Amino acid sequence: MTDASTPPRCRFCGAPLTTTFVDLGETPLANSYLTEADAAAGRDRRYPLHARVCGGCFLVQVDEPVRPEAIFSDYAYFSSFSASWVEHARRYAEAMIARFSLRPQSLVVEIASNDGYLLQHFHAAGIPVLGVDPAANVAPAAIAKGVPTEVAFFGRATAERLAARGVKADLVAANNVLAHAPDIRDFVAGFALLLEPDGVATFEFPHLLNLIRETQFDTIYHEHFSYLSLVAVEKIFAATSLRAFDVEELPTHGGSLRLFACRADASHRQTERLAALRAKEREAGLDSLAAYRGFAPRVEAVKRSFLAFLSRACAEGKTVAAYGAAAKGNTFLNVCGVTRSDIGWAFDRSAAKQGKLLPGSRIPILAPEKIREIKPDYLVVLPWNLIAEIRADMAFIAQWGGRFVIAVPETRVLAP
Ligand SMILES: [Zn+2]
């Protein structure tokens, strides 16, 4: 934390952060779901959510308002709850086993292994696995799936401790975790220590280029410290004895990269796909500050169009509900200033969230079965990245003339 007169410093290169990407005001921590008693006690305290871009390394980042231990040690999100995410993990395992000829003598390590949703597929194929995750409350679920789990934050110290025990990985998966590392340099420094000489690390992360192009400001929240481009990540790799050699563009989370990295001295050859992506980012100007400056006004436009939709719906006496109590929905609702008088209910499949309130907006979370009782006229799908799956599952809202609504990158009403 810093006072207003001194700019914060880049979490990677230490340069002062003087350029705003977007200032989203003050919002509660996006994963701090509340009981009614928590709400009465004001446990959804708001913290500044201000994303800045570093002029030295082009890492887009938000301040860390609280120690990460407070955020991650009792993490409410169990990866296995989304059907499409489990399927994504299964296909990843299949592809990596084939491409890198993983065998019963290999070792696959996953950083932020959660409940073992991914490693279970390698385990089922007879390949030894090890999960690393700081959340003590998810480790028992992983162990029950046959996934041994080290309860720890990953970084240089954890990698050294594992290496001293003889742990050397042929594949290290770091999917959707790089952005959540508060000390990104220390985090990435652990990989070269953990990899076999020709081992491979894969990093999946939402691509900043898509965040900018599609105005995905709702993917910005306190627990998500960094917003990553190839430009920034390759600078971090260069400082931590790693290098990228291949990349795939994935549709997950509104457009992600799967970056393949190895030790700087490994034999993997750089692919043309990687060179093409570097050129694409250069063309978009991600290596100059100008590309980042037009983002904030577009966020304002998205917000205005959603608020106009809500006031029309209200004037027409329509009921509006939300689907999916995900982190991005909380950023979206709180940045728009929406409360339970605008949106009466949020439906979510996670039993751990049902009966609680969304932080800030304090909208009650109900089981999806309640949709048939409440019969909302509009169902705002907050995790827009899962719209295809949700639209198929909830097609029955057509029975009472219900419509789906997507608010990013612009408000659109969709027939079931
Ligand atoms: Zn920097």
Side-chain angles (χ1 to χ4, degrees):
M1 280 188 264
T2 52
D3 75 62
S5 56
T6 24
R9 302 231 160 223
C10 173
R11 60 168 28 94
F12 169 61
C13 78
L17 297 170
T18 53
T19 305
T20 287
F21 179 55
V22 63
D23 184 352
L24 296 172
E26 294 199 337
T27 68
L29 299 180
N31 282 311
S32 56
Y33 298 94
L34 309 161
T35 62
E36 291 280 358
D38 292 334
R43 294 212 178 92
D44 48 354
R45 199 182 138 191
R46 290 167 189 266
Y47 301 91
L49 185 59
H50 187 163
R52 298 173 167 94
V53 56
C54 175
C57 69
F58 302 104
L59 185 66
V60 172
Q61 51 202 288
V62 298
D63 291 343
E64 182 187 311
V66 283
R67 295 302 313 152
E69 288 79 1
I71 300 176
F72 295 110
S73 55
D74 188 26
Y75 202 33
Y77 182 68
F78 284 65
S79 303
S80 299
F81 287 155
S82 158
S84 61
W85 195 242
V86 173
E87 175 60 12
H88 176 77
R90 192 191 61 75
R91 285 200 310 265
Y92 168 85
E94 226 169 54
M96 295 306 110
I97 291 168
R99 177 167 176 182
F100 300 113
S101 310
L102 299 173
R103 303 164 296 146
Q105 294 75 29
S106 307
L107 175 67
V108 178
V109 174
E110 186 186 19
I111 312 304
S113 48
N114 212 296
D115 62 355
Y117 75 102
L118 182 134
L119 288 176
Q120 63 181 343
H121 300 294
F122 291 97
H123 173 70
I127 299 161
V129 297
L130 175 66
V132 180
D133 199 292
N137 66 330
V138 295
I143 291 163
K145 290 188 171 85
V147 175
T149 300
E150 179 91 4
V151 177
F153 275 95
F154 188 73
R156 185 188 287 274
T158 297
E160 278 169 354
R161 195 172 66 247
L162 292 172
R165 266 172 27 201
V167 174
K168 280 284 177 187
D170 298 277
L171 175 68
V172 184
N175 298 343
N176 293 294
V177 59
L178 189 53
H180 297 274
D183 184 347
I184 198 166
R185 182 190 286 261
D186 180 74
F187 178 85
V188 176
F191 287 78
L193 301 172
L194 201 56
L195 284 172
E196 288 279 9
D198 250 344
V200 174
T202 67
F203 296 86
E204 285 182 26
F205 50 84
H207 192 190
L208 178 63
L209 185 60
N210 293 311
L211 187 159
I212 294 173
R213 287 188 167 162
E214 303 290 321
T215 324
Q216 297 163 351
F217 71 94
D218 55 339
T219 64
I220 299 173
Y221 52 95
H222 299 101
E223 297 91 328
H224 192 172
F225 303 123
S226 304
Y227 303 83
L228 302 158
S229 61
L230 183 60
V231 166
V233 172
E234 289 206 289
K235 287 183 199 294
I236 298 168
F237 284 176
T240 52
S241 309
L242 285 183
R243 66 177 171 84
F245 65 92
D246 190 17
V247 68
E248 289 174 42
E249 291 186 80
L250 309 173
T252 46
H253 293 290
S256 295
L257 297 183
R258 175 182 292 157
L259 199 53
F260 294 79
C262 57
R263 285 164 42 166
D265 57 0
S267 67
H268 299 278
R269 290 178 54 179
Q270 186 188 302
T271 63
E272 283 179 20
R273 290 195 292 203
L274 182 66
L277 189 77
R278 270 191 209 120
K280 185 172 165 183
E281 286 198 351
R282 249 196 325 273
E283 266 165 46
L286 293 192
D287 55 355
S288 76
L289 288 176
Y292 301 87
R293 290 200 173 109
F295 186 69
R298 289 194 284 120
V299 172
E300 278 307 307
V302 172
K303 190 174 146 180
R304 274 197 307 272
S305 95
F306 185 69
L307 293 176
F309 156 77
L310 275 183
S311 52
R312 268 196 317 274
C314 176
E316 291 164 7
K318 307 280 195 193
T319 50
V320 184
Y323 188 88
K328 65 164 71 72
N330 289 326
T331 291
F332 181 80
L333 297 170
N334 287 316
V335 168
C336 291
V338 169
T339 66
R340 65 206 280 180
S341 64
D342 306 300
I343 293 183
W345 316 267
F347 304 104
D348 198 279
R349 281 167 57 192
S350 162
K353 293 177 185 171
Q354 291 163 10
K356 294 196 172 164
L357 307 175
L358 297 180
S361 64
R362 301 192 174 175
I363 296 168
I365 306 167
L366 305 178
E369 292 69 40
K370 296 282 182 190
I371 296 175
R372 292 177 193 273
E373 289 171 31
I374 292 166
K375 298 186 170 57
D377 297 305
Y378 294 111
L379 192 59
V380 180
V381 177
L382 296 170
W384 39 258
N385 53 308
L386 303 176
I387 180 64
E389 183 180 337
I390 293 166
R391 209 172 169 182
D393 284 358
M394 305 285 151
F396 60 82
I397 70 171
Q399 291 164 14
W400 58 86
R403 296 278 182 276
F404 295 103
V405 178
I406 290 287
V408 172
E410 60 196 349
T411 297
R412 283 181 301 149
V413 177
L414 309 169

